[in-house]
Amino acid sequence: MSASERHGETPAAGRPRSATTRAQTHLWVAQRVTAMVLAIAVVVHLVMIVMAVRGGLSAAEIIARTRGNEAWLAFYVVFALAAGVHGAIGLRNIAAEAVGLRGRGADLAWVAAGLVTAGFGIRAAIGLYA
Amino acid sequence: MAEVASLKVSVWRGGEQGHFARFDVPARENQTVLDVVTHIQRELDPSLAYRFACRVGMCGSCAMTVNGRARWTCRTHVRKVVDADGALELRPLANLPVIRDLAADLAPFFDKWSRAHGTFQPKDARDGAVPDDFAVVPPASKQRREADAGIECIGCAVCYASCDVVAWNGDYLGPAALNRAWTLVNDVRDGGRGERLDAVAGDAGCHSCHSTQSCTERCPKNLDPSAAIAGLKRVLFWDTLLGRR
């Protein structure tokens, strides 16, 4: 007799309960880790904005800084990925609690939405680099 | 309060659907909310359903919603909760099915204790046999102190009735069950750690907690279920990140 049987648990149809809770835990961990990344990235981003607008803001100045610069490309790719994933998981939680939108299908849709959002940001970062 | 001659008591009557009945109860100098309910049932309306046992804050069975807040009625003085006009509103505990009047059905609450693997599983003797020797657990060790911090829960469901996340998500295990799980996760004699952490993880478990701490604020035993839930999150975070689960 397994422990889960002893506790009168019936696994959900399809996926065992532990697999579902593990996936949910991974989403939670991903949101926490991306939050840590964002804490640093947002500060760098804000400082960069303040510095960039000093003495006027011009496209040429921005392009001069980012074109061919792997460090800025890497920074913005990580930033966009963290923001997309973090935001989507947060919206998932709000949707689950506020309107009861739950389930594996919804989870996959939210992860996809997060990656698409991140994709737009990464495309913009590549545009500034290339 | 002492100036008010009688209390205007609104009492929930019925099941999930119902209404408030009004009773006038003589105000006394020293009077608990449970005294008021008992007066109503004995003197005014014997059909009123409510639950109590010890009357001294040991059993945890008399919890109700008093003026919008979950409390032990036996340990709540009337003068501490009524305003100048002597109005008292009594409902059954929130977030639980209503059996009748002031009696809530605590079955879902205790079912979640077992879903959270709230039973001790001896590491040395999983089949229930008596271990060969006593386990030595230093009382001052960090893990034992963590376990001791939450061990005095008597299962009154005040925290459960006060929790917003339970109201939003009926599957959520709730503060008491997660607090219990945390005491066992820290019990070095327990052998069910991995399964228990699986049981308390995810959307129905500790990861839904918003740390708003109503449970901690309202626990009549001054326990800190919010800290226990944070402990579970911490363990699951590092175990997941470092691939230990």
Side-chain angles (χ1 to χ4, degrees):
Chain A
M1 192 177 191
S2 80
S4 62
E5 283 169 323
R6 208 163 40 237
H7 288 281
E9 227 174 60
T10 46
R15 288 162 64 80
R17 186 178 145 70
S18 63
T20 306
T21 59
R22 268 166 207 239
Q24 290 165 351
T25 308
H26 285 137
L27 285 178
W28 184 85
V29 169
Q31 202 192 20
R32 270 16 182 215
V33 170
T34 52
M36 295 172 201
V37 172
L38 287 171
I40 298 164
V42 167
V43 170
V44 173
H45 184 56
L46 289 175
V47 168
M48 198 61 232
I49 289 171
V50 171
M51 285 172 62
V53 297
R54 288 168 72 189
L57 183 66
S58 74
E61 187 201 353
I62 293 170
I63 295 291
R65 183 168 49 242
T66 58
R67 178 150 293 165
N69 188 324
E70 283 80 14
W72 279 120
L73 176 68
F75 171 75
Y76 282 115
V77 165
V78 170
F79 189 2
L81 201 57
V85 170
H86 184 85
I89 298 172
L91 289 172
R92 165 193 180 267
N93 297 343
I94 293 169
E97 282 173 356
V99 296
L101 182 66
R102 296 190 172 93
R104 191 161 162 74
D107 285 355
L108 292 172
W110 282 118
V111 170
L115 292 177
V116 168
T117 312
F120 283 123
I122 291 169
R123 198 180 68 158
I126 291 171
L128 287 171
Y129 171 78
Chain B
M1 210 338 267
E3 301 86 39
V4 180
S6 74
L7 303 163
K8 302 176 191 66
V9 190
S10 301
V11 180
W12 184 256
R13 301 303 308 267
E16 300 292 345
Q17 304 298 319
H19 64 280
F20 283 103
R22 265 290 304 275
F23 298 96
D24 288 316
V25 176
R28 310 255 184 245
E29 184 67 27
N30 277 309
Q31 187 176 31
T32 66
V33 175
L34 184 61
D35 292 336
V36 171
V37 179
T38 302
H39 177 91
I40 293 171
Q41 201 231 27
R42 292 192 181 164
E43 309 292 337
L44 305 176
D45 186 349
S47 70
L48 178 69
Y50 69 111
R51 189 190 288 120
F52 76 98
C54 76
R55 300 178 299 156
V56 292
M58 290 172 66
C59 72
S61 59
C62 70
M64 300 171 200
T65 310
V66 180
N67 285 358
R69 185 180 162 142
R71 294 174 175 280
W72 287 352
T73 52
C74 74
R75 301 291 288 169
T76 302
H77 273 276
V78 168
R79 65 184 142 79
K80 291 207 171 145
V81 288
V82 297
D83 47 20
D85 62 358
L88 199 57
E89 187 196 272
L90 303 175
R91 301 178 66 109
L93 280 180
N95 295 340
L96 290 161
V98 182
I99 298 174
R100 186 162 70 83
D101 302 343
L102 297 172
D105 180 3
L106 269 74
F109 173 72
F110 289 116
D111 286 346
K112 287 177 180 179
W113 280 52
S114 58
R115 257 179 54 202
H117 292 209
T119 43
F120 175 61
Q121 293 181 32
K123 193 187 278 176
D124 300 331
R126 293 181 72 89
D127 55 357
V130 177
D132 294 334
D133 207 352
F134 289 107
V136 178
V137 184
S141 63
K142 185 173 181 295
Q143 279 193 305
R144 192 59 230 171
R145 286 207 309 267
E146 291 273 13
D148 283 344
I151 208 74
E152 296 290 346
C153 174
I154 62 173
C156 67
V158 162
C159 59
Y160 188 84
S162 305
C163 177
D164 287 330
V165 183
V166 175
W168 296 329
N169 178 1
D171 283 338
Y172 179 56
L173 292 168
L178 294 170
N179 177 73
R180 172 64 183 161
W182 180 237
T183 65
L184 290 170
V185 164
N186 282 290
D187 192 329
V188 294
R189 304 163 303 157
D190 184 89
R193 190 177 196 271
E195 290 154 359
R196 186 171 297 107
L197 286 173
D198 274 344
V200 300
D203 293 345
C206 63
H207 294 121
S208 278
C209 173
H210 285 242
S211 306
T212 47
Q213 304 188 41
S214 299
C215 51
T216 299
E217 165 71 20
R218 297 192 181 169
C219 175
K221 301 280 287 183
N222 289 324
L223 304 185
D224 192 354
S226 199
I229 295 168
L232 289 171
K233 284 178 177 174
R234 204 163 50 239
V235 166
L236 281 160
F237 178 80
W238 288 112
D239 282 7
T240 302
L241 206 63
L242 303 177
R244 292 195 293 231
R245 339 179 28 251

